Amino acid sequence: MKKFVFAMLGLSLFITACSEKKEEKINNSVVVSQGSKPKSLDPNMYNEIPALTITEQIFNTLLKIDENGNVVPELAESYEYTTPTELIIKLKKGVKFHNGDTLTSKDVVFSINRMLDKPASRVMIDAVKKVEMIDDYTVKLVLSKPSSPLLFGLAHPITAILNKKDTLAKNDVIATSPMGTGPYKFIDWGSGEKIELTSFDNYFEGKPKIDNLTYRAITENSSRLAALETGEIDIAYNMDAIDGSTVEKNPKLKLISKPTTSTEYITFNNEKAPFDNENFRKAVNYALDKKSMSDSIFMGKAIPANSIVNPNVFGYSDTVKGYPYNKEKAIEYLKKSGIENPSFTLFVNDNTTRLQLAQIIQANLKEIGIDMTIETLEWGTYLQKTAQGEHQALLGGWVSGTSDADIVFFPLLHSSSHGGAGNRAFYTNKKLDKIIEQAQLASDPKERKELFFKAQEILQNDAPFGLLLYKNENIGINKRVKGFEYNPTMMHNLKDLYIEK
């Protein structure tokens, strides 16, 4: 009998210990949710926030941008221009990939050549003509021309460094099996709906304090809020502004609502009717009631956009007027266009806020006699169709991931970037092309700013976009999670997260 009692006591202690261990593991896990699942976790493939927020945790770049906006080394130990067209980069020694391999120049040379083959990453390093291995920890980038934005491009998550051996072994298909040098290792794709990562013990900046990091895609903003309130998730990105007050009232949660480097806008396909008509494009711009959009959808936490460049980005001009809401001018330009019974279809991805915006746009345009149809697409389909130019117009946004205006002008507006590289407006203006190229060659910040101002004046006249808003990003966080560092590019690095015990 005594043996039985002791056996049961031992079993009880065993179960309790296991429970405590399991509880400890759960408490050292963080679940993050965003509005869309990524199309791919191949960091060089798509300049899309749902993917880059995750690949930011898995990979590193040669350089990074610090909290003061300066370019500093990350995987690089140092970098130096020996001539205006030769950049020498020395690598940190002892940096480990998740498979145990040590980072060397072979991986960097392979990665940069691969970036040049992918449209989305190529625009970031377009000036690179070739990359050479000097020794195991030194590479040389030879440029076709001097490039002031190159260093910023090498700090963008889309120019992440890959492991040569691993990537070749996977036949260059790493969309659902990424492997890098970052603070977290990839574990499971989960069809993109639930992506699981775990801390990397040998991370060169120190092992993260969080053991497990999970990303969940929850399309409905109300469902994301509910999951945050119940503790099902710990961090909720892309929250509706209207839900901010709910978060603030909850003693277990806190709200971050801060400006970003992004711009919300309608992309007109300038090669397709009716948007091949400049007067029609201007009519649409004047018809957009931006203040109403800000007040009703963003609860005032957004301001009307006067330029495609965000005010928090180097090169923004506050002298361009943009297109203030003016119904009379909208009707005037619509008449000038000569288009009878005007109509078009607007592509929108399956995001609640974007759908609400589309409905207000639809109502605004109806008031001046334009019939707009809303077509909702799943995120991956939306990216694919718009890259191929199947749209008349699309509703979206662009995040200036380097906080420099070149990342707006070259991908979105240069004629060489049509389609998947970024220019989904299929806009061509050779005068603008020349200004963009001059700004890339210029090293003096004042000269670059003047060129960017000229570029924005051209866009004011041509109106290739329907400018909408500069919005805040709203993030809900469980107060047990500490160490979150906000990044206005919306690509938040979570390596410093920890749980308050």
Side-chain angles (χ1 to χ4, degrees), residues 271-311:
E271 291 184 343
K272 282 188 176 181
F275 294 106
D276 55 353
N277 185 309
E278 180 184 307
N279 287 318
F280 185 80
R281 298 195 299 269
K282 290 180 177 179
V284 171
N285 266 287
Y286 278 121
L288 300 171
D289 187 354
K290 302 169 192 175
K291 188 175 187 306
S292 175
M293 295 175 197
S294 175
D295 292 345
S296 60
I297 297 177
F298 298 101
M299 310 302 290
K301 292 180 178 179
I303 59 174
N306 66 307
S307 168
I308 190 64
V309 182
N310 183 285

mmCIF file of all heavy atoms in Angstrom, residues 271-311:
data_model
loop_
_atom_site.group_PDB
_atom_site.id
_atom_site.type_symbol
_atom_site.label_atom_id
_atom_site.label_comp_id
_atom_site.label_asym_id
_atom_site.label_seq_id
_atom_site.Cartn_x
_atom_site.Cartn_y
_atom_site.Cartn_z
ATOM 1 N N GLU A 271 -1.414 52.390 -69.477
ATOM 2 C CA GLU A 271 -1.441 51.876 -70.854
ATOM 3 C C GLU A 271 -2.832 51.405 -71.263
ATOM 4 O O GLU A 271 -3.042 51.033 -72.419
ATOM 5 C CB GLU A 271 -0.443 50.715 -70.997
ATOM 6 C CG GLU A 271 1.009 51.151 -70.901
ATOM 7 C CD GLU A 271 1.994 50.022 -71.141
ATOM 8 O OE1 GLU A 271 1.596 48.840 -71.069
ATOM 9 O OE2 GLU A 271 3.173 50.327 -71.402
ATOM 10 N N LYS A 272 -3.768 51.400 -70.312
ATOM 11 C CA LYS A 272 -5.112 50.903 -70.601
ATOM 12 C C LYS A 272 -6.150 52.000 -70.436
ATOM 13 O O LYS A 272 -6.051 52.838 -69.534
ATOM 14 C CB LYS A 272 -5.468 49.743 -69.656
ATOM 15 C CG LYS A 272 -4.845 48.421 -70.025
ATOM 16 C CD LYS A 272 -5.406 47.312 -69.148
ATOM 17 C CE LYS A 272 -4.867 45.959 -69.564
ATOM 18 N NZ LYS A 272 -5.436 44.866 -68.733
ATOM 19 N N ALA A 273 -7.171 51.971 -71.314
ATOM 20 C CA ALA A 273 -8.298 52.892 -71.162
ATOM 21 C C ALA A 273 -9.045 52.530 -69.872
ATOM 22 O O ALA A 273 -9.102 51.363 -69.495
ATOM 23 C CB ALA A 273 -9.228 52.771 -72.370
ATOM 24 N N PRO A 274 -9.602 53.508 -69.180
ATOM 25 C CA PRO A 274 -9.625 54.944 -69.502
ATOM 26 C C PRO A 274 -8.425 55.713 -68.955
ATOM 27 O O PRO A 274 -8.354 56.928 -69.093
ATOM 28 C CB PRO A 274 -10.907 55.409 -68.818
ATOM 29 C CG PRO A 274 -10.994 54.527 -67.600
ATOM 30 C CD PRO A 274 -10.462 53.189 -68.013
ATOM 31 N N PHE A 275 -7.450 54.992 -68.348
ATOM 32 C CA PHE A 275 -6.369 55.695 -67.660
ATOM 33 C C PHE A 275 -5.212 56.086 -68.568
ATOM 34 O O PHE A 275 -4.218 56.649 -68.114
ATOM 35 C CB PHE A 275 -5.879 54.857 -66.473
ATOM 36 C CG PHE A 275 -6.925 54.706 -65.408
ATOM 37 C CD1 PHE A 275 -7.597 53.508 -65.230
ATOM 38 C CD2 PHE A 275 -7.264 55.790 -64.605
ATOM 39 C CE1 PHE A 275 -8.574 53.382 -64.265
ATOM 40 C CE2 PHE A 275 -8.241 55.680 -63.635
ATOM 41 C CZ PHE A 275 -8.909 54.473 -63.468
ATOM 42 N N ASP A 276 -5.342 55.822 -69.857
ATOM 43 C CA ASP A 276 -4.385 56.369 -70.813
ATOM 44 C C ASP A 276 -4.736 57.814 -71.155
ATOM 45 O O ASP A 276 -4.054 58.458 -71.950
ATOM 46 C CB ASP A 276 -4.337 55.507 -72.083
ATOM 47 C CG ASP A 276 -5.699 55.324 -72.746
ATOM 48 O OD1 ASP A 276 -6.718 55.745 -72.164
ATOM 49 O OD2 ASP A 276 -5.736 54.756 -73.849
ATOM 50 N N ASN A 277 -5.774 58.328 -70.512
ATOM 51 C CA ASN A 277 -6.253 59.692 -70.713
ATOM 52 C C ASN A 277 -5.889 60.528 -69.480
ATOM 53 O O ASN A 277 -6.394 60.284 -68.381
ATOM 54 C CB ASN A 277 -7.777 59.666 -70.930
ATOM 55 C CG ASN A 277 -8.358 61.017 -71.259
ATOM 56 O OD1 ASN A 277 -8.114 61.997 -70.564
ATOM 57 N ND2 ASN A 277 -9.163 61.063 -72.317
ATOM 58 N N GLU A 278 -4.992 61.504 -69.645
ATOM 59 C CA GLU A 278 -4.503 62.312 -68.525
ATOM 60 C C GLU A 278 -5.631 63.053 -67.810
ATOM 61 O O GLU A 278 -5.661 63.138 -66.580
ATOM 62 C CB GLU A 278 -3.462 63.315 -69.028
ATOM 63 C CG GLU A 278 -2.882 64.207 -67.944
ATOM 64 C CD GLU A 278 -1.939 65.256 -68.487
ATOM 65 O OE1 GLU A 278 -0.992 64.870 -69.219
ATOM 66 O OE2 GLU A 278 -2.142 66.443 -68.206
ATOM 67 N N ASN A 279 -6.578 63.607 -68.576
ATOM 68 C CA ASN A 279 -7.673 64.353 -67.963
ATOM 69 C C ASN A 279 -8.565 63.454 -67.110
ATOM 70 O O ASN A 279 -9.063 63.877 -66.064
ATOM 71 C CB ASN A 279 -8.504 65.063 -69.029
ATOM 72 C CG ASN A 279 -7.792 66.265 -69.622
ATOM 73 O OD1 ASN A 279 -7.163 67.033 -68.901
ATOM 74 N ND2 ASN A 279 -7.859 66.416 -70.940
ATOM 75 N N PHE A 280 -8.724 62.214 -67.550
ATOM 76 C CA PHE A 280 -9.527 61.272 -66.760
ATOM 77 C C PHE A 280 -8.816 60.956 -65.439
ATOM 78 O O PHE A 280 -9.441 60.888 -64.384
ATOM 79 C CB PHE A 280 -9.779 59.980 -67.543
ATOM 80 C CG PHE A 280 -10.685 59.019 -66.831
ATOM 81 C CD1 PHE A 280 -12.058 59.176 -66.849
ATOM 82 C CD2 PHE A 280 -10.155 57.955 -66.100
ATOM 83 C CE1 PHE A 280 -12.899 58.304 -66.175
ATOM 84 C CE2 PHE A 280 -10.983 57.074 -65.412
ATOM 85 C CZ PHE A 280 -12.365 57.251 -65.463
ATOM 86 N N ARG A 281 -7.493 60.782 -65.500
ATOM 87 C CA ARG A 281 -6.732 60.509 -64.279
ATOM 88 C C ARG A 281 -6.864 61.662 -63.288
ATOM 89 O O ARG A 281 -7.014 61.465 -62.076
ATOM 90 C CB ARG A 281 -5.247 60.274 -64.617
ATOM 91 C CG ARG A 281 -4.997 59.068 -65.511
ATOM 92 C CD ARG A 281 -3.531 58.650 -65.511
ATOM 93 N NE ARG A 281 -2.618 59.659 -65.986
ATOM 94 C CZ ARG A 281 -2.217 59.808 -67.247
ATOM 95 N NH1 ARG A 281 -2.700 58.978 -68.200
ATOM 96 N NH2 ARG A 281 -1.356 60.746 -67.593
ATOM 97 N N LYS A 282 -6.828 62.883 -63.793
ATOM 98 C CA LYS A 282 -6.971 64.050 -62.923
ATOM 99 C C LYS A 282 -8.386 64.151 -62.359
ATOM 100 O O LYS A 282 -8.572 64.547 -61.195
ATOM 101 C CB LYS A 282 -6.599 65.325 -63.684
ATOM 102 C CG LYS A 282 -5.110 65.418 -63.988
ATOM 103 C CD LYS A 282 -4.744 66.690 -64.739
ATOM 104 C CE LYS A 282 -3.235 66.764 -64.950
ATOM 105 N NZ LYS A 282 -2.821 67.975 -65.707
ATOM 106 N N ALA A 283 -9.376 63.790 -63.168
ATOM 107 C CA ALA A 283 -10.761 63.807 -62.700
ATOM 108 C C ALA A 283 -10.941 62.879 -61.503
ATOM 109 O O ALA A 283 -11.557 63.241 -60.494
ATOM 110 C CB ALA A 283 -11.706 63.408 -63.836
ATOM 111 N N VAL A 284 -10.375 61.695 -61.602
ATOM 112 C CA VAL A 284 -10.472 60.733 -60.497
ATOM 113 C C VAL A 284 -9.785 61.290 -59.254
ATOM 114 O O VAL A 284 -10.322 61.205 -58.138
ATOM 115 C CB VAL A 284 -9.856 59.372 -60.905
ATOM 116 C CG1 VAL A 284 -9.755 58.449 -59.696
ATOM 117 C CG2 VAL A 284 -10.679 58.721 -62.003
ATOM 118 N N ASN A 285 -8.616 61.892 -59.424
ATOM 119 C CA ASN A 285 -7.883 62.447 -58.285
ATOM 120 C C ASN A 285 -8.687 63.522 -57.555
ATOM 121 O O ASN A 285 -8.760 63.522 -56.328
ATOM 122 C CB ASN A 285 -6.543 63.029 -58.749
ATOM 123 C CG ASN A 285 -5.399 62.041 -58.636
ATOM 124 O OD1 ASN A 285 -4.942 61.744 -57.541
ATOM 125 N ND2 ASN A 285 -4.961 61.513 -59.768
ATOM 126 N N TYR A 286 -9.285 64.424 -58.306
ATOM 127 C CA TYR A 286 -10.056 65.493 -57.675
ATOM 128 C C TYR A 286 -11.336 64.984 -57.020
ATOM 129 O O TYR A 286 -11.887 65.627 -56.127
ATOM 130 C CB TYR A 286 -10.407 66.578 -58.698
ATOM 131 C CG TYR A 286 -9.306 67.578 -58.943
ATOM 132 C CD1 TYR A 286 -8.762 67.760 -60.222
ATOM 133 C CD2 TYR A 286 -8.804 68.356 -57.901
ATOM 134 C CE1 TYR A 286 -7.755 68.689 -60.449
ATOM 135 C CE2 TYR A 286 -7.784 69.288 -58.116
ATOM 136 C CZ TYR A 286 -7.272 69.449 -59.387
ATOM 137 O OH TYR A 286 -6.267 70.371 -59.605
ATOM 138 N N ALA A 287 -11.814 63.815 -57.441
ATOM 139 C CA ALA A 287 -13.071 63.270 -56.910
ATOM 140 C C ALA A 287 -12.893 62.558 -55.573
ATOM 141 O O ALA A 287 -13.881 62.222 -54.913
ATOM 142 C CB ALA A 287 -13.680 62.305 -57.919
ATOM 143 N N LEU A 288 -11.650 62.327 -55.147
ATOM 144 C CA LEU A 288 -11.389 61.521 -53.955
ATOM 145 C C LEU A 288 -11.455 62.355 -52.677
ATOM 146 O O LEU A 288 -10.645 63.274 -52.482
ATOM 147 C CB LEU A 288 -10.011 60.865 -54.077
ATOM 148 C CG LEU A 288 -9.831 59.939 -55.292
ATOM 149 C CD1 LEU A 288 -8.375 59.511 -55.434
ATOM 150 C CD2 LEU A 288 -10.745 58.730 -55.195
ATOM 151 N N ASP A 289 -12.410 62.040 -51.826
ATOM 152 C CA ASP A 289 -12.601 62.753 -50.557
ATOM 153 C C ASP A 289 -11.718 62.101 -49.491
ATOM 154 O O ASP A 289 -12.148 61.242 -48.719
ATOM 155 C CB ASP A 289 -14.071 62.717 -50.148
ATOM 156 C CG ASP A 289 -14.365 63.577 -48.934
ATOM 157 O OD1 ASP A 289 -13.412 64.115 -48.339
ATOM 158 O OD2 ASP A 289 -15.552 63.713 -48.578
ATOM 159 N N LYS A 290 -10.464 62.533 -49.417
ATOM 160 C CA LYS A 290 -9.478 61.894 -48.553
ATOM 161 C C LYS A 290 -9.769 62.116 -47.070
ATOM 162 O O LYS A 290 -9.536 61.236 -46.248
ATOM 163 C CB LYS A 290 -8.078 62.407 -48.903
ATOM 164 C CG LYS A 290 -7.702 62.164 -50.359
ATOM 165 C CD LYS A 290 -6.432 62.921 -50.737
ATOM 166 C CE LYS A 290 -6.224 62.913 -52.233
ATOM 167 N NZ LYS A 290 -5.073 63.719 -52.644
ATOM 168 N N LYS A 291 -10.250 63.301 -46.744
ATOM 169 C CA LYS A 291 -10.548 63.575 -45.329
ATOM 170 C C LYS A 291 -11.649 62.651 -44.820
ATOM 171 O O LYS A 291 -11.589 62.145 -43.696
ATOM 172 C CB LYS A 291 -10.959 65.027 -45.127
ATOM 173 C CG LYS A 291 -11.094 65.406 -43.652
ATOM 174 C CD LYS A 291 -11.378 66.868 -43.459
ATOM 175 C CE LYS A 291 -11.339 67.236 -41.977
ATOM 176 N NZ LYS A 291 -12.205 66.417 -41.129
ATOM 177 N N SER A 292 -12.638 62.416 -45.662
ATOM 178 C CA SER A 292 -13.709 61.490 -45.289
ATOM 179 C C SER A 292 -13.156 60.086 -45.070
ATOM 180 O O SER A 292 -13.554 59.384 -44.135
ATOM 181 C CB SER A 292 -14.785 61.466 -46.376
ATOM 182 O OG SER A 292 -15.774 60.494 -46.090
ATOM 183 N N MET A 293 -12.218 59.680 -45.922
ATOM 184 C CA MET A 293 -11.586 58.362 -45.775
ATOM 185 C C MET A 293 -10.830 58.288 -44.447
ATOM 186 O O MET A 293 -10.920 57.298 -43.718
ATOM 187 C CB MET A 293 -10.622 58.101 -46.932
ATOM 188 C CG MET A 293 -11.271 58.004 -48.289
ATOM 189 S SD MET A 293 -10.013 57.851 -49.601
ATOM 190 C CE MET A 293 -10.997 58.273 -51.049
ATOM 191 N N SER A 294 -10.069 59.341 -44.148
ATOM 192 C CA SER A 294 -9.286 59.373 -42.914
ATOM 193 C C SER A 294 -10.192 59.328 -41.686
ATOM 194 O O SER A 294 -9.950 58.557 -40.754
ATOM 195 C CB SER A 294 -8.420 60.628 -42.866
ATOM 196 O OG SER A 294 -7.752 60.730 -41.628
ATOM 197 N N ASP A 295 -11.250 60.132 -41.706
ATOM 198 C CA ASP A 295 -12.139 60.231 -40.536
ATOM 199 C C ASP A 295 -12.941 58.958 -40.304
ATOM 200 O O ASP A 295 -13.064 58.488 -39.168
ATOM 201 C CB ASP A 295 -13.096 61.417 -40.685
ATOM 202 C CG ASP A 295 -12.378 62.753 -40.609
ATOM 203 O OD1 ASP A 295 -11.217 62.779 -40.158
ATOM 204 O OD2 ASP A 295 -12.963 63.767 -41.026
ATOM 205 N N SER A 296 -13.454 58.372 -41.386
ATOM 206 C CA SER A 296 -14.371 57.244 -41.226
ATOM 207 C C SER A 296 -13.670 55.901 -41.077
ATOM 208 O O SER A 296 -14.148 55.021 -40.360
ATOM 209 C CB SER A 296 -15.340 57.178 -42.418
ATOM 210 O OG SER A 296 -14.627 57.012 -43.625
ATOM 211 N N ILE A 297 -12.526 55.732 -41.721
ATOM 212 C CA ILE A 297 -11.837 54.435 -41.699
ATOM 213 C C ILE A 297 -10.646 54.443 -40.736
ATOM 214 O O ILE A 297 -10.425 53.479 -39.998
ATOM 215 C CB ILE A 297 -11.357 54.037 -43.115
ATOM 216 C CG1 ILE A 297 -12.569 53.873 -44.038
ATOM 217 C CG2 ILE A 297 -10.553 52.747 -43.070
ATOM 218 C CD1 ILE A 297 -12.205 53.557 -45.471
ATOM 219 N N PHE A 298 -9.898 55.550 -40.722
ATOM 220 C CA PHE A 298 -8.665 55.599 -39.931
ATOM 221 C C PHE A 298 -8.804 56.435 -38.662
ATOM 222 O O PHE A 298 -7.805 56.691 -37.977
ATOM 223 C CB PHE A 298 -7.510 56.120 -40.793
ATOM 224 C CG PHE A 298 -7.206 55.232 -41.967
ATOM 225 C CD1 PHE A 298 -7.651 55.546 -43.239
ATOM 226 C CD2 PHE A 298 -6.487 54.056 -41.795
ATOM 227 C CE1 PHE A 298 -7.387 54.719 -44.320
ATOM 228 C CE2 PHE A 298 -6.217 53.222 -42.865
ATOM 229 C CZ PHE A 298 -6.667 53.555 -44.136
ATOM 230 N N MET A 299 -10.029 56.840 -38.365
ATOM 231 C CA MET A 299 -10.309 57.595 -37.133
ATOM 232 C C MET A 299 -9.382 58.800 -36.981
ATOM 233 O O MET A 299 -8.916 59.134 -35.895
ATOM 234 C CB MET A 299 -10.182 56.682 -35.908
ATOM 235 C CG MET A 299 -10.948 55.386 -36.006
ATOM 236 S SD MET A 299 -12.732 55.644 -36.275
ATOM 237 C CE MET A 299 -13.215 56.290 -34.691
ATOM 238 N N GLY A 300 -9.086 59.443 -38.114
ATOM 239 C CA GLY A 300 -8.229 60.621 -38.100
ATOM 240 C C GLY A 300 -6.749 60.326 -38.027
ATOM 241 O O GLY A 300 -5.925 61.250 -38.053
ATOM 242 N N LYS A 301 -6.369 59.036 -37.957
ATOM 243 C CA LYS A 301 -4.951 58.674 -37.847
ATOM 244 C C LYS A 301 -4.348 58.418 -39.221
ATOM 245 O O LYS A 301 -3.645 57.442 -39.475
ATOM 246 C CB LYS A 301 -4.786 57.455 -36.939
ATOM 247 C CG LYS A 301 -5.134 57.765 -35.484
ATOM 248 C CD LYS A 301 -4.967 56.566 -34.589
ATOM 249 C CE LYS A 301 -5.282 56.931 -33.139
ATOM 250 N NZ LYS A 301 -5.160 55.786 -32.230
ATOM 251 N N ALA A 302 -4.668 59.334 -40.136
ATOM 252 C CA ALA A 302 -4.110 59.329 -41.484
ATOM 253 C C ALA A 302 -4.286 60.730 -42.025
ATOM 254 O O ALA A 302 -5.229 61.434 -41.654
ATOM 255 C CB ALA A 302 -4.839 58.318 -42.374
ATOM 256 N N ILE A 303 -3.372 61.146 -42.888
ATOM 257 C CA ILE A 303 -3.476 62.483 -43.473
ATOM 258 C C ILE A 303 -3.494 62.375 -44.991
ATOM 259 O O ILE A 303 -2.913 61.447 -45.566
ATOM 260 C CB ILE A 303 -2.325 63.399 -43.003
ATOM 261 C CG1 ILE A 303 -0.957 62.812 -43.379
ATOM 262 C CG2 ILE A 303 -2.413 63.651 -41.506
ATOM 263 C CD1 ILE A 303 0.221 63.734 -43.066
ATOM 264 N N PRO A 304 -4.165 63.327 -45.676
ATOM 265 C CA PRO A 304 -4.221 63.287 -47.136
ATOM 266 C C PRO A 304 -2.835 63.342 -47.764
ATOM 267 O O PRO A 304 -1.954 64.079 -47.304
ATOM 268 C CB PRO A 304 -5.033 64.538 -47.487
ATOM 269 C CG PRO A 304 -5.870 64.798 -46.281
ATOM 270 C CD PRO A 304 -5.006 64.398 -45.119
ATOM 271 N N ALA A 305 -2.635 62.565 -48.812
ATOM 272 C CA ALA A 305 -1.339 62.509 -49.499
ATOM 273 C C ALA A 305 -1.295 63.535 -50.619
ATOM 274 O O ALA A 305 -2.219 63.627 -51.432
ATOM 275 C CB ALA A 305 -1.106 61.112 -50.062
ATOM 276 N N ASN A 306 -0.219 64.304 -50.663
ATOM 277 C CA ASN A 306 -0.004 65.249 -51.757
ATOM 278 C C ASN A 306 1.033 64.735 -52.751
ATOM 279 O O ASN A 306 1.192 65.277 -53.839
ATOM 280 C CB ASN A 306 0.458 66.607 -51.212
ATOM 281 C CG ASN A 306 1.836 66.517 -50.559
ATOM 282 O OD1 ASN A 306 2.057 65.687 -49.683
ATOM 283 N ND2 ASN A 306 2.762 67.359 -50.982
ATOM 284 N N SER A 307 1.744 63.654 -52.361
ATOM 285 C CA SER A 307 2.799 63.097 -53.199
ATOM 286 C C SER A 307 2.855 61.598 -52.981
ATOM 287 O O SER A 307 2.439 61.098 -51.935
ATOM 288 C CB SER A 307 4.151 63.725 -52.828
ATOM 289 O OG SER A 307 5.226 63.018 -53.430
ATOM 290 N N ILE A 308 3.386 60.887 -53.950
ATOM 291 C CA ILE A 308 3.590 59.455 -53.783
ATOM 292 C C ILE A 308 4.685 59.191 -52.750
ATOM 293 O O ILE A 308 4.768 58.115 -52.153
ATOM 294 C CB ILE A 308 3.954 58.800 -55.141
ATOM 295 C CG1 ILE A 308 3.928 57.263 -55.046
ATOM 296 C CG2 ILE A 308 5.285 59.300 -55.659
ATOM 297 C CD1 ILE A 308 2.574 56.687 -54.736
ATOM 298 N N VAL A 309 5.543 60.194 -52.479
ATOM 299 C CA VAL A 309 6.599 60.084 -51.472
ATOM 300 C C VAL A 309 6.036 60.462 -50.105
ATOM 301 O O VAL A 309 5.408 61.511 -49.946
ATOM 302 C CB VAL A 309 7.790 60.993 -51.817
ATOM 303 C CG1 VAL A 309 8.912 60.829 -50.784
ATOM 304 C CG2 VAL A 309 8.327 60.685 -53.209
ATOM 305 N N ASN A 310 6.255 59.610 -49.124
ATOM 306 C CA ASN A 310 5.789 59.844 -47.761
ATOM 307 C C ASN A 310 6.611 60.953 -47.075
ATOM 308 O O ASN A 310 7.816 61.062 -47.321
ATOM 309 C CB ASN A 310 5.900 58.535 -46.965
ATOM 310 C CG ASN A 310 5.376 58.618 -45.555
ATOM 311 O OD1 ASN A 310 6.011 59.197 -44.682
ATOM 312 N ND2 ASN A 310 4.227 58.026 -45.310
ATOM 313 N N PRO A 311 5.997 61.765 -46.207
ATOM 314 C CA PRO A 311 6.733 62.836 -45.516
ATOM 315 C C PRO A 311 7.906 62.349 -44.671
ATOM 316 O O PRO A 311 8.815 63.139 -44.378
ATOM 317 C CB PRO A 311 5.664 63.477 -44.618
ATOM 318 C CG PRO A 311 4.364 63.151 -45.266
ATOM 319 C CD PRO A 311 4.557 61.811 -45.904
#
